[in-house]
């Protein structure tokens, strides 16, 4: 029997699963410990139920996911509005260095996935769905890239990407604390001064400003987001038409143009505010709208994955994910730690990079919080990670992913 849900019913069901995920997260310590997002919990739970229904032949459920793309583009547009070049410039060299290291990790993650594809006899494009797309990119970037790969004829790309992203959340959270603890003890970092202590940190750049709810600012946030989505759609279509004249193996996701427009508008807003004018972009309200878009988009995407597609790639997937774990451990110990100063601040940031490089920025922050609660605070690490993870890495990672997919 087949049961079809309309566009509105699909959106409503995704919200039901989101609420269930929120309820479970508040009551199950495992989900809190590893900072598993609520839509991932609810979405994957239903995906497991749907797996049983499909394999037993009891019910085949079809969703109208028209709004999934809308909420996805909405979220990534807010990422563009959050990418303040003013903040990056004012943040200092340490932030720029970490952005470079994080971007290089994305490249190496894809090299590992791409290189192991023939070893495990897997389509290179499918193998890349275990690289920087789900690792550094997490569920958000997976939701933007994997559907494009699946539409190109690579069956199971979405399922592999979302599964790898969920695995990365847990693996990165398990790894971060022990890695940092080992570095602190091995190098006796508690008794050594950190070079970061000499760095001036302007925490106002990432401070959350509390203000009363203002309907005009919320309306302005929606207007700016939809404006960037409108213009960005034409930009994406134009660029993809140009790319299509040279290759049919690569294309920008639908949100790419919107991100570019949003970055330009944010730059104009920052220039205006630096001259004393009222800011054009309300960052707090933009962030709230983006969070809403992300949660609904993820719930809708996760509930629709077809886990039965993993049966044929389970073995290769285990090998590829194990390789990503080894890579993250080596990168954290021998690249992030050493290049960020090989001191206490660098050790804390290393813990964060494990969670962020295999999962998401909240996982990285949770890793760092668990380590500093045992030792001492690190203002520098807590300043650097959210700027890179929350503002810029998705942008640099996107170009890296598309470059590798063009050779897949």
């Amino acid at each position: 029997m087949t049961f079809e849900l309309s566009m509105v019913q699909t959106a409503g069901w995704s919200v039901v699963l989101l609420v269930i995920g929120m309820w479970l997260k508040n009551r199950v310590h495992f989900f809190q410990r590893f900072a598993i997002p609520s839509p991932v919990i609810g979405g994957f739970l239903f995906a497991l139920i749907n797996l049983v229904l499909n394999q037993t032949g009891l019910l085949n459920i079809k969703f109208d996911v028209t709004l999934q793309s809308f909420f996805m583009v909405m979220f990534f547009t807010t990422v563009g509005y959050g990418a303040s070049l003013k903040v990056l410039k004012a943040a200092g060299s340490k932030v720029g260095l970490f952005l470079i290291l994080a971007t290089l990790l994305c490249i190496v993650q894809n090299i590992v996935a791409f290189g192991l594809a023939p070893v495990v006899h897997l389509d290179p494009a499918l193998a890349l769905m275990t690289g920087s797309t789900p690792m550094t990119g997490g569920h958000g970037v997976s939701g933007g890239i994997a559907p494009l790969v699946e539409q190109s004829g690579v069956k199971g790309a979405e399922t592999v990407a979302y599964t790898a992203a969920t695995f990365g959340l847990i693996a990165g959270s398990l790894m971060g604390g022990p890695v940092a603890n080992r570095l602190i003890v091995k190098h006796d970092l508690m008794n050594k001064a950190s070079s970061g202590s000499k760095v001036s940190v302007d925490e106002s750049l990432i401070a959350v400003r509390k203000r009363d709810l203002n309907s005009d600012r919320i309306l302005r946030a929606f207007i700016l987001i939809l404006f960037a989505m409108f213009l960005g759609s034409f930009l994406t279509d134009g660029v993809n038409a140009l790319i299509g004249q040279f290759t049919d193996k690569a294309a920008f996701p639908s949100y790419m143009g919107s991100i570019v427009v949003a970055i330009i508008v944010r730059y104009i807003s920052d220039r205006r505010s630096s001259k004393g004018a009222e800011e054009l972009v309300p960052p707090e309200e933009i962030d709230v709208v983006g969070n809403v878009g992300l949660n609904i988009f993820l719930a809708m995407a996760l509930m629709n994955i077809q886990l039965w597609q993993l049966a044929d790639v389970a073995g290769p997937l285990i090998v590829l994910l194990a390789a990503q774990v080894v890579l993250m451990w080596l990168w954290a110990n021998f690249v992030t730690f050493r290049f960020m100063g090989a001191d206490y601040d660098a050790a804390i940031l290393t813990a964060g990079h494990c969670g962020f490089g295999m999962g998401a920025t909240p996982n990285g922050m949770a890793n760092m919080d668990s380590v500093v609660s045992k030792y001492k605070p690190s203002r520098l690490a807590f300043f650097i990670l959210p700027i890179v993870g929350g503002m810029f890495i998705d942008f640099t990672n996107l170009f890296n992913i598309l470059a590798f997919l063009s050779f897949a």
Side-chain angles (χ1 to χ4, degrees):
M1 183 174 68
T2 299
F3 183 64
E4 297 186 16
L5 276 73
S6 68
M7 178 181 71
V8 174
Q9 291 168 340
T10 298
W13 181 239
S14 70
V15 172
V16 171
L17 294 177
L18 173 59
V19 172
I20 292 174
M22 295 167 65
W23 185 84
L24 289 172
K25 185 173 183 177
N26 289 331
R27 287 161 176 78
V28 180
H29 177 71
F30 175 85
F31 297 140
Q32 298 176 19
R33 167 67 179 81
F34 296 108
I36 308 297
S38 299
V40 174
I41 298 170
F44 247 113
L45 175 63
F46 179 77
L48 290 172
I49 296 173
N50 199 24
L51 172 65
V52 175
L53 294 175
N54 179 273
Q55 295 303 99
T56 57
L58 292 175
L59 185 64
N60 180 30
I61 303 177
K62 292 185 178 181
F63 297 103
D64 183 339
V65 294
T66 302
L67 288 177
Q68 179 178 323
S69 176
F70 174 82
F71 284 115
M72 177 190 69
V73 177
M74 174 182 284
F75 162 67
F76 279 103
T77 302
T78 65
V79 171
Y81 277 120
S84 172
L85 299 179
K86 176 184 175 182
V87 171
L88 180 62
K89 181 179 178 181
S93 59
K94 284 278 187 177
V95 172
L97 176 59
F98 185 64
L99 176 58
I100 292 172
L101 296 181
T103 301
L104 289 175
L105 173 62
C106 293
I107 295 173
V108 179
Q109 284 175 333
N110 285 336
I111 290 175
V112 169
F114 198 85
L116 286 176
V119 177
V120 296
H121 307 291
L122 207 63
D123 186 318
L126 188 59
L128 283 171
M129 294 303 96
T130 65
S132 71
T133 299
M135 294 293 110
T136 297
H139 289 87
V141 175
S142 295
I145 296 296
L148 291 177
V149 177
E150 187 125 1
Q151 290 168 16
S152 70
V154 182
K155 185 179 179 181
E158 289 188 67
T159 303
V160 169
Y162 286 127
T163 302
T166 304
F167 168 83
L169 286 174
I170 299 172
S173 296
L174 285 172
M175 186 189 307
V179 166
N181 187 75
R182 170 185 167 275
L183 291 171
I184 293 170
V185 173
K186 178 181 178 180
H187 299 285
D188 193 25
L189 300 179
M190 283 294 291
N191 297 320
K192 296 178 181 179
S194 290
S195 61
S197 61
K198 303 175 184 178
V199 178
S200 176
V201 175
D202 182 5
E203 294 182 347
S204 66
L205 295 174
I206 59 172
V208 177
R209 294 177 292 178
K210 294 183 178 180
R211 60 159 62 98
D212 294 334
L213 189 64
N214 185 304
S215 59
D216 289 339
R217 292 178 64 87
I218 295 175
L219 176 60
R220 191 195 309 172
F222 271 102
I223 290 173
L224 288 171
I225 291 170
L226 294 174
F227 171 76
M229 291 170 64
F230 169 67
L231 290 185
S233 64
F234 292 108
L235 179 58
T236 302
D237 290 343
V239 172
N240 281 341
L242 183 62
I243 293 176
Q245 296 180 8
F246 300 96
T247 177
D248 59 354
K249 294 183 178 181
F252 283 112
S254 57
Y255 58 76
M256 185 61 219
S258 301
I259 289 182
V260 173
V261 173
I263 290 175
I264 294 173
V265 175
R266 178 61 189 267
Y267 176 75
I268 295 172
S269 175
D270 288 344
R271 288 291 299 271
R272 280 169 46 88
S273 61
S274 66
K275 296 178 181 179
E278 181 184 0
E279 61 182 0
L280 177 64
V281 176
E284 292 83 5
E285 287 77 6
I286 291 282
D287 186 59
V288 168
V289 175
N291 187 53
V292 171
L294 175 63
N295 278 274
I296 298 177
F297 148 60
L298 283 182
M300 201 174 294
L302 269 293
M303 73 183 191
N304 199 37
I305 62 174
Q306 300 171 342
L307 291 176
W308 52 89
Q309 294 178 345
L310 291 176
D312 295 333
V313 297
L317 185 59
I318 292 173
V319 174
L320 290 167
L321 292 179
Q324 293 296 339
V325 171
V326 173
L327 168 62
M328 187 70 253
W329 188 90
L330 293 172
W331 193 271
N333 282 276
F334 299 106
V335 179
T336 302
F337 176 65
R338 294 189 179 184
F339 279 87
M340 292 307 298
D343 53 18
Y344 178 77
D345 289 319
I348 301 302
L349 191 58
T350 298
H353 200 187
C354 288
F356 156 58
M358 292 196 71
T361 302
N363 294 75
M365 299 293 283
N367 280 0
M368 296 194 299
D369 187 63
S370 68
V371 179
V372 299
S373 64
K374 178 180 179 180
Y375 294 104
K376 63 180 182 180
S378 171
R379 292 172 60 232
L380 187 67
F382 278 86
F383 176 75
I384 291 174
L385 192 75
I387 291 179
V388 173
M391 294 185 184
F392 297 103
I393 193 61
D394 285 342
F395 192 72
T396 61
N397 188 23
L398 177 60
F399 285 97
N400 161 50
I401 294 168
L402 293 176
F404 276 89
L405 285 175
S406 66
F407 293 102

